[in-house]
Every structure is written in structure tokens, then in C-alpha cells.
Amino acid sequence: MLHELNTELLCPNSFVKITETVKSKFEIISLKKSVQTLFLSFIILIICSISLQAQDQVQSQDENVTISNPYFAGVTASFRKLRLSNGNSTNNYSFSPSIGKFLNEHFAIGLNVGYRFSDISFFGGNDLKQLNTSVFMRYIINPENKLQAYLQPSLQYLRSKDESNNGENITNAYAASVNFGITYDITDRFRFLTRLADMSYMHNSSIQSPIINNSIYSLDIDFSNIQFGAEYRF
């Protein structure tokens, strides 16, 4: 029996199968890394393109032209309740104040600080608390209209704490993202805004043993997860 087992293990056909399996796994990993790199490169390309265009417009702008109420402050918030297939549910809350300045009618830059809380409503469930800060640039596509569409690339830092009955896990993350949304001017100073879609690349790293590092790329076009907010210009 032992002789037969060794003969089978040393069989060239078995070796070929093992080699093909290992090769297939490496190809899948390589493909995932290529997709992640391409996704991140696309986000960086959008950010750089908008930044260069903003710089050119600011430099070419007439020095005598002034922007009325160039500064702004605002806040966005969202609430989302999901019913899971096993009958449990999860609640998600987010709150994000921001400040910024319009460089011209098309471009604005700003700073955002956000807080998100998620809980799963059953015994032994987890609570996720996340604090994030980001710098962003907003490109207004059609500033001449009251209803305006915008693209908002940003670079973010996130710190998350996942709490459960088994303890807690703290994770640091860095992300690059591009948001798409709509604003509506109520007056010259006051406007409503929404965030409709989000494309992002995030790298996570836990700070506790065992150390876990992973990268996530996502395209979020979920209309049940829309953020609403308001801004005031001054």
C-alpha cells in the first residue's frame, strides 16, 4: 500500500496537475493585482487631470475678477437600515462636516472630517466605529445652472474600531476616491447637495496581532445609500 501511494505521488501526471493548480492560483492573484493597479491608476488619473485643469484656470483667470462668497461650510449625513437574509438587520449612520474655498466658478478645494457607526442587531453582533479625514477638490460641471453636477476626488485617512464580545480590532486605512453628486442652489449662499455614486481604492492594515493587510476597490452606485447635506457660502 505504501509503495502504491508513493508511486502515485511521484507519477508525472500528478505532478503536472499540481503544477497547473499552483500556476492557476498565481495567475488569479496576478490578475487581481493588475485590476487593483489599473483601478487605482484610473482614480489617480482623474485626480491629476482635475487638479491640472483647476491650476490652468486659476492662472488664466483675470486678476480683477473676484468670486463672491468664496468660502463654504457644510455637512452631509446618511442613515441606512439593511435587512439580512437570516432575519437580522444592520444600521449604518454617517455624519461629515466640511469646509472649503471656491477657486473659481468650476473648482473648489476643501477639508472633510467624517464619523460612521454601524451595528448588527443580534446577540453577539459587532459595532463598527470609523473616523475619517480627507482633502478634496470639487469640479462643478455646469456652474451656470441652479441644478449642478459635480465630481469630487479626494485622498482619505480612516481609522476603524470593530467591537464585539470577543474583543476589538483597530484598523488604519488609506484611500483614494472619486464621488459623483448633485447640488441645487436655493439662494446665492445656501445650497442642498447629494452624493450619488462613489469609486474608491482602499488599503487596510490592522495594528493588532495577527497583522492583516488587504486592498479593496469598489464602485458604489447604490441609491439606497445616498448621502444628503447642505452648504452655506460666505
Side-chain angles (χ1 to χ4, degrees):
M1 180 68 68
L2 181 59
H3 175 71
E4 292 177 356
L5 179 61
N6 290 338
T7 301
E8 183 179 355
L9 289 175
L10 294 175
C11 177
N13 291 334
S14 299
F15 180 76
V16 170
K17 289 180 180 179
I18 295 173
T19 303
E20 289 178 349
T21 302
V22 173
K23 182 179 179 181
S24 176
K25 290 183 178 180
F26 273 111
E27 287 177 348
I28 292 174
I29 294 173
S30 178
L31 179 60
K32 287 182 178 180
K33 288 184 177 180
S34 298
V35 172
Q36 291 177 354
T37 302
L38 182 62
F39 199 84
L40 179 59
S41 299
F42 182 67
I43 293 176
I44 293 175
L45 179 62
I46 293 176
I47 294 174
C48 292
S49 298
I50 292 178
S51 299
L52 291 174
Q53 190 174 356
Q55 185 178 1
D56 290 341
Q57 285 203 10
V58 171
Q59 290 177 350
S60 62
Q61 186 176 5
D62 189 342
E63 294 181 357
N64 297 323
V65 175
T66 58
I67 304 172
S68 60
N69 309 318
Y71 299 97
F72 66 90
V75 62
T76 58
S78 68
F79 169 74
R80 187 186 188 192
K81 185 179 182 69
L82 294 177
R83 180 68 61 179
L84 306 179
S85 59
N86 57 6
N88 300 314
S89 63
T90 175
N91 300 313
N92 297 274
Y93 311 86
S94 69
F95 177 79
S96 302
S98 60
I99 57 172
K101 178 182 180 180
F102 280 90
L103 305 178
N104 55 41
E105 62 179 4
H106 281 282
F107 292 96
I109 55 175
L111 175 67
N112 176 276
V113 177
Y115 177 78
R116 183 168 71 92
F117 175 79
S118 301
D119 71 273
I120 301 178
S121 57
F122 67 96
F123 180 76
N126 290 20
D127 289 340
L128 176 65
K129 301 174 182 178
Q130 184 182 84
L131 182 66
N132 68 79
T133 181
S134 66
V135 289
F136 65 85
M137 174 172 285
R138 182 184 301 168
Y139 174 66
I140 308 296
I141 297 174
N142 54 329
E144 66 278 1
N145 300 329
K146 282 185 172 293
L147 184 64
Q148 303 168 357
Y150 70 86
L151 290 173
Q152 184 167 297
S154 65
L155 299 175
Q156 307 172 47
Y157 166 75
L158 307 93
R159 185 177 179 88
S160 304
K161 179 186 290 186
D162 190 357
E163 299 177 339
S164 69
N165 291 339
N166 297 323
E168 64 179 34
N169 182 41
I170 299 176
T171 303
N172 292 324
Y174 302 91
S177 67
V178 178
N179 299 332
F180 171 76
I182 293 175
T183 67
Y184 183 78
D185 291 340
I186 304 299
T187 68
D188 292 340
R189 292 177 178 266
F190 186 74
R191 63 169 52 177
F192 288 128
L193 73 157
T194 63
R195 192 214 64 160
L196 301 176
D198 177 82
M199 179 173 60
S200 64
Y201 177 89
M202 180 184 301
H203 179 75
N204 299 285
S205 178
S206 60
I207 64 175
Q208 296 164 309
S209 181
I211 303 298
I212 300 175
N213 295 293
N214 58 31
S215 298
I216 303 171
Y217 52 97
S218 63
L219 179 61
D220 182 10
I221 312 178
D222 186 353
F223 291 105
S224 65
N225 194 30
I226 297 176
Q227 290 187 354
F228 295 93
E231 285 182 351
Y232 181 78
R233 296 183 63 166
F234 56 93

